[in-house]
Amino acid sequence: MAPKRPKGAGAFPKAVVTPAPTPPDPASLYAALDLGTNSCRMLIAQPKGSQFHVVDSFSKSVQLGHGLESTGRLSRASMNRTIAAMRICREKLHRHGVKRMRLVATEACRRALNGQNFISQVRRETGLNLEVIKPEEEARLAVISCAPLVSVNTEQLLVVDIGGGSTELVWIDLTHVPKRERPRAIMRLHAGFKSDPGPFAAARVVDWISVPLGVATLRDQFADVEDDAARFALMSWFFEENLEEFAPYAAAQAREGFQIIGTSGTVTTVAASHLGLRRYDRTKVDGLRMSSDQIDTVIRDYLSLGPEGRRKDPRIGKDRQALIMSGSAILQALMRLWPTDRLSVADRGLREGLLYAQMSADGVLEDTPF
């Protein structure tokens, strides 16, 4: 007898963080690396039915974009930190014998005047080939990674990916998709926001935008403002100003059937703080739904702590404390603008999207919507 599917979601890829029980065949492994403005992160995974097992992972705050806002260039120190992290990734890839991989870089390398020179330096010094992807692909990969969290009752969906150097927003209309098919319809967007869905009911991308403001770049814009609360208010206002080009910005939207999914270190940190986790636990955070009041309570707590208190707060962590207020300013602006008092928290993003796309292209995932 076929196993029962989970209610509401259908069968589609979902990250499983427990390690594979036996040493995997290198021929079955895939890797995805995401080099952003602030972090270098990698997953090595093995397809397992309609899911995948994470075999190994890596995450390091490299601050590649540090100083980029003022100079337009990647600094020598930032590049050296990043290359050191990339060497660790290379060793993991070699140790596991991974042959199929996609290694991508985003906003910092897109914007930096010496971005291509840095890509060449990475290739020379590590042998790894980084690919600078366009904002649309970055947004698309974030969207498909969040598909398992889409409610079957969602008719209007906003997926928000708050990065280090940019923030991607994608507005999707699901009203013409049968309820049970809505998460699957999101998955099909891996082929492109305007691709032919074939015989399937299509999720319609109403609009998307890549705002060149993320947690690092927004922080740098207002680094000269000394007052903590004033800096936070200015950052939130400035981010909102940059959303005017986004079509659904001023449109009246019904609260019923509207869902926001947020994916980023900011969103997961706020969720962990709300839960009072002194040690981060992905299983408690991924898929959590938070009310706008709960989010506001956490952000007010961050503000009351001040910079020194945030540095000492174990819920925030040393890698995130310098960036949490700029990320919170973005998050608060988003919750203020759209008709919902709930946010779905996603501990997933570009790396998972890259793995889904590679595995689906090779046809190694069972019963996928691709």
Side-chain angles (χ1 to χ4, degrees), residues 56-72:
D56 203 349
S57 64
F58 175 81
S59 181
K60 179 75 174 175
S61 174
V62 293
Q63 300 179 60
L64 178 60
H66 184 71
L68 176 61
E69 200 66 29
S70 57
T71 66

Side-chain angles (χ1 to χ4, degrees), residues 89-152:
C89 293
R90 178 194 61 192
E91 294 309 311
K92 285 178 176 283
L93 292 167
H94 285 182
R95 185 163 71 248
H96 291 287
V98 184
K99 302 299 181 190
R100 285 169 295 197
M101 65 188 79
R102 201 157 170 223
L103 319 175
V104 307
T106 56
E107 186 69 9
C109 290
R110 283 197 294 260
R111 291 179 61 191
L113 296 172
N114 58 342
Q116 283 303 321
N117 290 339
F118 171 66
I119 299 295
S120 299
Q121 185 181 349
V122 169
R123 188 182 304 114
R124 284 195 310 272
E125 297 194 22
T126 70
L128 298 178
N129 293 309
L130 275 173
E131 171 191 359
V132 181
I133 60 172
K134 294 180 178 179
E136 180 180 337
E137 183 169 13
E138 185 177 357
R140 192 167 69 239
L141 291 165
V143 166
I144 64 171
S145 74
C146 292
L149 302 180
V150 176
S151 165
V152 295

Side-chain angles (χ1 to χ4, degrees), residues 10-267:
F12 44 70
K14 184 177 179 182
V16 177
V17 295
T18 51
T22 55
D25 176 3
S28 71
L29 296 178
Y30 292 78
L33 183 145
D34 166 21
L35 176 59
T37 302
N38 190 56
S39 300
C40 175
R41 298 180 295 180
M42 184 179 71
L43 286 178
I44 298 173
Q46 178 183 36
K48 194 76 172 177
S50 63
Q51 308 178 20
F52 61 72
H53 282 291
V54 174
V55 173
D56 203 349
S57 64
F58 175 81
S59 181
K60 179 75 174 175
S61 174
V62 293
Q63 300 179 60
L64 178 60
H66 184 71
L68 176 61
E69 200 66 29
S70 57
T71 66
R73 302 178 68 84
L74 304 175
S75 72
R76 187 179 300 277
S78 297
M79 292 190 290
N80 288 342
R81 281 194 302 270
T82 303
I83 287 173
M86 296 287 288
R87 286 196 179 103
I88 297 172
C89 293
R90 178 194 61 192
E91 294 309 311
K92 285 178 176 283
L93 292 167
H94 285 182
R95 185 163 71 248
H96 291 287
V98 184
K99 302 299 181 190
R100 285 169 295 197
M101 65 188 79
R102 201 157 170 223
L103 319 175
V104 307
T106 56
E107 186 69 9
C109 290
R110 283 197 294 260
R111 291 179 61 191
L113 296 172
N114 58 342
Q116 283 303 321
N117 290 339
F118 171 66
I119 299 295
S120 299
Q121 185 181 349
V122 169
R123 188 182 304 114
R124 284 195 310 272
E125 297 194 22
T126 70
L128 298 178
N129 293 309
L130 275 173
E131 171 191 359
V132 181
I133 60 172
K134 294 180 178 179
E136 180 180 337
E137 183 169 13
E138 185 177 357
R140 192 167 69 239
L141 291 165
V143 166
I144 64 171
S145 74
C146 292
L149 302 180
V150 176
S151 165
V152 295
N153 295 316
T154 296
E155 297 190 344
Q156 301 291 328
L157 173 68
L158 178 65
V159 176
V160 181
D161 181 10
I162 306 172
S166 65
T167 297
E168 280 67 46
L169 292 87
V170 185
W171 192 290
I172 301 166
D173 182 354
L174 293 164
T175 52
H176 299 296
V177 180
K179 284 190 173 187
R180 303 285 289 186
E181 286 295 309
R182 286 172 182 173
R184 290 168 171 262
I186 297 296
M187 282 287 194
R188 292 187 198 108
L189 293 172
H190 82 100
F193 284 158
K194 296 182 179 179
S195 62
D196 181 1
F200 303 104
R204 184 174 71 90
V205 176
V206 177
D207 197 10
W208 73 277
I209 189 173
S210 180
V211 182
L213 292 169
V215 294
T217 46
L218 184 60
R219 175 201 60 186
D220 293 347
Q221 287 262 0
F222 294 92
D224 59 340
V225 180
E226 291 186 10
D227 184 79
D228 196 41
R231 184 169 57 249
F232 175 79
L234 285 167
M235 288 190 296
S236 190
W237 166 81
F238 187 65
F239 183 81
E240 183 176 339
E241 288 284 296
N242 278 267
L243 290 178
E244 288 184 338
E245 298 294 315
F246 190 46
Y249 173 83
Q253 299 289 342
R255 182 179 292 269
E256 192 81 14
F258 180 82
Q259 183 181 10
I260 295 182
I261 298 178
T263 171
S264 72
T266 294
V267 175

